[in-house]
Amino acid sequence: MTDPVAAVADRWFQPESAPDASTRIFLLHYAGSGASVYHDWPQLIPADVSTQCVQLPGRQERLKEEMFTDIGPLVDTLADHLSAELDGRPYAVFGHCMGALVAYRLTVELHERGEQAPLLLGASAWAPKGFRTPPVEQLHVPQAELVEWARGLGSLPEAILNDTEALDMMMPAMRADLEVCASYEDDDAAVPCPVVTYSADHDPLVDPQAMESWAPRTGSYLGNRLFRGGHFFLHQETTSITADFVRLLLGRAAQARSAH
């Protein structure tokens, strides 16, 4: 009999960039977006490291599926699918903004379940303290107001901002994802792996000292890499971020192998 969790795993995870790689990275997209935001990553990463993007419901090829609006059920469901996807290879998780929040809570949930933990957690543009989550009332404003808010973050290309049809497809996911962020209540949970963070000096959603709040959440905080830019610095600094994250991941993987 087919495992129902494994049967739908391909909807949650894009194909691996290098299926024969010995180490893999799961990438979680930011609010209102989809797996395609990481399309540049595979070409910047060594062949022995595979990337695999998580695709949440309600966007791109999963457009017609019901979206999550609460962090708890989202993380529980994603943990079910990731558990079915893991095959014993060492792995890391990385997310930007909402993706970092989900990556953090996913790591906590997997640890609580006794599942294989990631070797490394990468959190970009989000922190447990000092992240300015939009208030719930802002999520129900007319679409034009939400678009202007997103424009202020630099999150949407002008080509999309001027494309009514594209906006009509994107904004429901943006609203749902922001509700996910607004539903989060911090509980000081720690993760069982090292954490490295990335931030920008002109990010309107992240307080200047916010990344320091990661230190108590792990036994090994590897520090913050500060870049110039706004909230979506991820796209301007892809080369630097991938190089740093992969270097740290491969170092952890080598340590794990030598320990055995």
Side-chain angles (χ1 to χ4, degrees):
M1 185 173 180
T2 302
D3 180 349
V5 172
V8 298
D10 60 330
R11 297 211 309 266
W12 284 82
F13 303 100
Q14 300 283 289
E16 283 191 66
S17 61
D20 295 328
S22 59
T23 309
R24 64 207 298 206
I25 303 173
F26 291 97
L27 300 168
L28 293 111
H29 57 76
Y30 50 79
S33 70
S36 62
V37 300
Y38 291 109
H39 70 277
D40 290 338
W41 281 53
Q43 63 195 21
L44 298 171
I45 289 176
D48 58 342
V49 178
S50 177
T51 59
Q52 196 161 9
C53 299
V54 174
Q55 184 76 291
L56 299 185
R59 63 216 73 215
Q60 297 176 359
E61 72 274 10
R62 303 189 69 185
L63 186 64
K64 297 182 185 291
E65 297 180 46
E66 184 177 356
M67 292 173 282
F68 286 87
T69 57
D70 188 278
I71 186 68
L74 169 56
V75 169
D76 286 345
T77 305
L78 180 54
D80 289 342
H81 294 299
L82 187 65
S83 296
E85 182 70 14
L86 294 176
D87 56 10
R89 283 180 291 168
Y91 72 98
V93 289
F94 177 95
H96 184 87
C97 192
M98 180 192 77
L101 164 60
V102 175
Y104 165 52
R105 297 312 305 187
L106 176 64
T107 303
V108 171
E109 177 65 22
L110 291 171
H111 180 56
E112 291 180 348
R113 294 184 182 195
E115 299 281 358
Q116 177 189 356
L119 291 181
L120 179 66
L121 167 62
S124 177
W126 186 86
K129 308 286 186 184
F131 179 77
R132 300 171 186 170
T133 304
V136 174
E137 56 269 20
Q138 183 174 323
L139 310 182
H140 304 289
V141 299
Q143 179 166 302
E145 290 185 37
L146 191 60
V147 169
E148 284 307 305
W149 175 80
R151 187 197 298 271
L153 298 178
S155 63
L156 298 177
E158 286 298 319
I160 292 179
L161 290 168
N162 297 321
D163 185 334
T164 303
E165 185 176 346
L167 285 173
D168 288 344
M169 293 175 64
M170 177 180 291
M171 282 299 118
M174 176 74 79
R175 291 182 191 275
D177 291 349
L178 291 175
E179 285 198 53
V180 167
C181 295
S183 73
Y184 175 62
E185 296 182 6
D186 188 54
D187 61 359
D188 300 316
V191 294
C193 64
V195 175
V196 59
T197 62
Y198 304 89
S199 65
D201 59 356
H202 287 89
D203 187 341
L205 296 185
V206 180
D207 290 339
Q209 307 304 318
M211 294 302 174
E212 295 177 4
S213 66
W214 278 106
R217 306 300 171 101
T218 171
S220 180
Y221 179 49
L222 304 179
N224 181 60
R225 282 70 166 136
L226 180 66
F227 296 94
R228 297 184 65 181
H231 187 63
F232 291 90
F233 67 94
L234 175 75
H235 297 302
Q236 288 74 46
E237 302 294 346
T238 304
T239 301
S240 297
I241 293 171
T242 53
D244 183 69
F245 192 68
V246 169
R247 175 183 62 83
L248 293 172
L249 173 57
L250 291 178
R252 295 293 304 175
Q255 291 176 17
R257 284 194 299 270
S258 63
H260 291 90

